[in-house]
Amino acid sequence: MIVQSASFITSAPDLQRCPPVEWPEIAFAGRSNVGKSSLINCLLNRKGLVRTSSTPGRTQLLNFFVINENLYFVDLPGYGFARAPRSVRQQWQPMVHGYLKGRSTLRAVVWLLDVRRDPTAEDLEFLDWLEESNLPTIPVVTKVDKVSRNALPGRLKVIAARTGLEVEHFALFSCLKNTGRDELWERIVAAVESPRGQGEG
Ligand SMILES: Nc1nc2c(ncn2[C@@H]2O[C@H](COP(=O)(O)OP(=O)(O)OP(=O)(O)O)[C@@H](O)[C@H]2O)c(=O)[nH]1
Ligand SMILES: [Mg+2]
């Protein structure tokens, strides 16, 4: 994918205040601090476009980016940030679930897991919810630069076993090394081009 233009459009606090549906859309979801914003910057080749942070809970709204004037990326606030204020945690589910369920142009959810961490109960709960909602999901294991080549297959096995997904199903990614960028773009483009499957009625 050649990214000719990429820019931030707006932050929305809920589905109603999202920008008008105009283009196909891809959302990025996962635990706080898993690397969603970094991954978007890497896909777009724009280092500082999306704000990243070592402090979990950086992203608290639905952040819209427009790519090549024909595609939206949506950086979602992460879940599982225990130290976030209660008010933030209580808003998360209606905001994120409401958006994911209600956005007619959403083509897929890119769902991230950290290669070093075993998927948590919250990860599994979110995956279950995606499956129940019939939302096309592109699972990604990110930060693969953080484990050695030898350790990687073992980590992937654990992650696959816990999630019930096949190892081959995961796209592997590293923002640091630019690993997996082309493959993930291919899967995103395929999702954008295919009409939404079941669940759309
Ligand atoms: N080594 C390495 N570090 C990464 C990678 N991706 C992200 N990080 C680091 O992980 C931390 C969190 O990254 P973010 O992209 O801000 O994470 P996020 O998922 O957007 O976090 P929230 O907005 O809090 O939900 C930052 O310190 C990043 O530099 C990667 O592929 N490799
Ligand atoms: Mg973020």
Side-chain angles (χ1 to χ4, degrees), residues 36-37 51-52 58-59 75-76:
K36 299 174 291 297
S37 302
R51 245 196 296 167
T52 64
R58 173 83 267 175
T59 311
D75 188 16
L76 299 176

Side-chain angles (χ1 to χ4, degrees), residues 55-183:
T55 314
R58 173 83 267 175
T59 311
Q60 294 190 350
L61 296 165
L62 311 165
N63 289 316
F64 282 78
F65 300 85
V66 60
I67 294 103
N68 294 348
E69 303 291 327
N70 63 14
L71 174 66
Y72 276 136
F73 272 7
V74 186
D75 188 16
L76 299 176
Y79 49 79
F81 176 37
R83 278 177 303 155
R86 180 188 290 271
S87 59
V88 169
R89 279 183 282 142
Q90 281 176 340
Q91 281 160 15
W92 184 90
Q93 184 159 319
M95 177 187 346
V96 172
H97 286 194
Y99 159 77
L100 290 173
K101 275 220 128 140
R103 193 73 170 164
S104 59
T105 42
L106 183 67
R107 291 294 204 279
V109 180
V110 175
W111 178 58
L112 281 72
L113 292 172
D114 184 326
V115 70
R116 297 165 302 173
R117 304 194 194 293
D118 294 347
T120 63
E122 275 164 316
D123 286 318
L124 301 179
E125 216 175 278
F126 187 68
L127 178 62
D128 277 349
W129 184 85
L130 289 173
E131 286 171 351
E132 278 164 26
S133 310
N134 281 318
L135 284 162
T137 303
I138 302 173
V140 173
V141 170
T142 192
K143 306 194 189 182
V144 296
D145 58 277
K146 294 268 196 186
V147 300
S148 71
R149 223 173 237 275
N150 290 339
L152 183 60
R155 288 304 309 151
L156 295 177
K157 249 191 203 162
V158 170
I159 289 170
R162 258 189 86 85
T163 55
L165 301 173
E166 305 287 327
V167 168
E168 299 73 42
H169 212 71
F170 287 92
L172 306 185
F173 205 87
S174 161
C175 303
L176 215 68
K177 300 251 166 90
N178 248 345
T179 313
R181 186 178 176 274
D182 292 346
E183 191 209 321

